[in-house]
Amino acid sequence: MSTVVADKRPSSLQGARLPKWFPWALAGASVALGIGISAAAGLESSVQWGLIAAILFVVGTYVIATRVEGKRQAKDRIATSLVWVAFLLALVPLVSLLWTTVSRGVKVLDVFFLTHSMGVVADSEPGGGIYHAIIGSLEQVGLATAIGAPIGVLTAIYLVEYGRGALAKAVTFFVDVMTGIPSIVAGLFILSLMLQFDMQPFGFAGSLALAILMMPVVVRSTEEMLKLVPNELREASLALGIPKWRTILKVVLPTAIGGITTGVMLAVARIAGETAPVLLLVFGNPFINNNPFEGAQASLPLYIYQQYANSGGAEAAYDRAWAASLTLIAFVMILNLGARAIARWKAPKTGR
């Protein structure tokens, strides 16, 4: 009676593998070598030693992985390394911008700054605040959203649910064209209408220009969200004899409402920082103006521009500009966080 002895030899299909801590160790060594090479060569810029470290990391990954794991696995590792290096390089300007804005903006950012206007304070003098600019931005962006969001959503519904033939193609073409229109062109369009009717600058004019910039973004994002709704849901509703308009209202839109809301919020964030159309149509106002339909009005982007342009090099004006920039970034961040929360809340519930 013979016994079968199991083969304890390692499988030939499994080769040598680098440990999981290898990328981190190599990254640390690359940074140390980059700093050393930069110091030896007399390079003072942190960007230069960062690029040297990135090159050393990618080259080192390929050489070591080729020796240990083979060329095929080395190609996979170098592709992963390039993705990480590109990600870190993209983070550099973002982190630098945030650090500079926060470090310089907190100097004057307090309750007084948020609750007072410039009033009779000159741009070169200390003091003043951005309350009038916050009111103007909220009113102008709010009115633009009230105009642009419904039009954009309804246009997207037409293109996805009803659009056929030449009209749909023409609408799609002009939406693509409007997506790339510079903001100054939208401002000039509204300004031409104001000149035709001999109108003075007022906040609602800026809202109209912002709505023009907002609509194509809402159309594109809503269109993509509606296309993601399964056709089976539409067919099931229509098979029950429900009209198409009611199917769209009760089935399609509730399914895609999370993505639609996110798209609208991103469009709001996009127009919240526009300066050119506001500069043309609203003009700015150092005093509080709560009526967007009469008289010049301030906004946060315009306030930042005016503090830099009219300060005459005064440090107080620069501090106010950075503080207003930090406020604007916080406003956009809150909008994005709100959009993500609404999208998660309204997302279709999945289960087994």
Side-chain angles (χ1 to χ4, degrees):
M1 187 172 182
S2 60
T3 58
V4 179
V5 180
D7 189 0
K8 301 268 181 96
R9 292 176 300 175
S11 173
S12 60
L13 296 178
Q14 184 176 3
R17 298 280 296 178
L18 290 168
K20 293 183 178 180
W21 48 263
F22 165 74
W24 300 101
L26 182 60
S30 300
V31 171
L33 285 174
I35 295 175
I37 293 173
S38 300
L43 303 177
E44 298 180 356
S45 174
S46 58
V47 176
Q48 293 174 322
W49 69 255
L51 291 176
I52 293 174
I55 294 172
L56 291 174
F57 177 73
V58 173
V59 174
T61 299
Y62 181 75
V63 172
I64 297 174
T66 301
R67 293 290 298 268
V68 177
E69 299 178 337
K71 288 188 176 181
R72 183 174 182 179
Q73 189 65 23
K75 292 179 181 178
D76 178 74
R77 284 190 176 274
I78 197 172
T80 305
S81 301
L82 289 173
V83 171
W84 275 102
V85 169
F87 168 70
L88 293 175
L89 289 176
L91 279 182
V92 170
L94 175 61
V95 173
S96 176
L97 173 64
L98 289 176
W99 174 257
T100 303
T101 305
V102 172
S103 61
R104 300 198 61 174
V106 295
K107 292 182 179 180
V108 296
L109 186 60
D110 52 20
V111 177
F112 180 88
F113 183 74
L114 295 174
T115 56
H116 287 74
S117 67
M118 290 301 293
V120 295
V121 179
D123 291 335
S124 58
E125 298 176 354
I130 58 171
Y131 180 75
H132 61 303
I134 294 176
I135 294 296
S137 286
L138 291 177
E139 291 182 349
Q140 293 162 28
V141 173
L143 289 171
T145 304
I147 298 171
I151 295 176
V153 171
L154 292 174
T155 302
I157 292 174
Y158 166 76
L159 292 176
V160 175
E161 304 293 339
Y162 297 98
R164 300 291 184 274
L167 179 58
K169 292 181 180 178
V171 172
T172 302
F173 172 76
F174 283 112
V175 168
D176 291 336
V177 172
M178 288 179 63
T179 304
I181 287 180
S183 58
I184 191 68
V185 176
L188 287 173
F189 172 70
I190 301 300
L191 180 62
S192 65
L193 296 179
M194 292 174 60
L195 294 176
Q196 289 289 332
F197 294 97
D198 195 21
M199 302 174 69
Q200 297 298 317
F202 61 110
F204 184 65
S207 300
L208 293 176
L210 296 179
I212 293 174
L213 298 173
M214 182 181 185
M215 280 187 284
V217 180
V218 176
V219 171
R220 276 288 161 259
S221 59
T222 304
E223 189 177 1
E224 295 302 321
M225 291 300 105
L226 294 178
K227 288 179 179 179
L228 293 177
V229 177
N231 283 328
E232 289 79 3
L233 294 178
R234 297 180 176 89
E235 294 169 356
S237 177
L238 295 174
L240 295 175
I242 299 176
K244 188 170 185 177
W245 69 269
R246 195 170 181 84
T247 298
I248 296 171
L249 187 63
K250 295 294 185 178
V251 177
V252 177
L253 287 179
T255 304
I257 190 64
I260 295 173
T261 304
T262 303
V264 172
M265 290 296 183
L266 292 177
V268 172
R270 189 254 192 232
I271 65 173
E274 289 293 343
T275 306
V278 179
L279 180 62
L280 283 176
L281 305 171
V282 181
F283 270 30
N285 189 349
F287 297 94
I288 298 173
N289 180 12
N290 293 321
N291 185 4
F293 299 99
E294 183 180 358
Q297 201 175 35
S299 72
L300 282 173
L302 183 58
Y303 177 88
I304 296 168
Y305 168 78
Q306 289 177 336
Q307 289 300 305
Y308 263 102
N310 304 329
S311 63
E315 190 68 22
Y318 289 160
D319 290 339
R320 285 193 296 266
W322 283 110
S325 301
L326 182 57
T327 305
L328 184 59
I329 290 176
F331 173 68
V332 174
M333 183 183 69
I334 291 172
L335 285 178
N336 281 274
L337 292 177
R340 288 180 177 274
I342 294 173
R344 179 170 295 186
W345 174 44
K346 291 295 185 179
K349 303 298 184 292
T350 58
R352 296 184 179 181

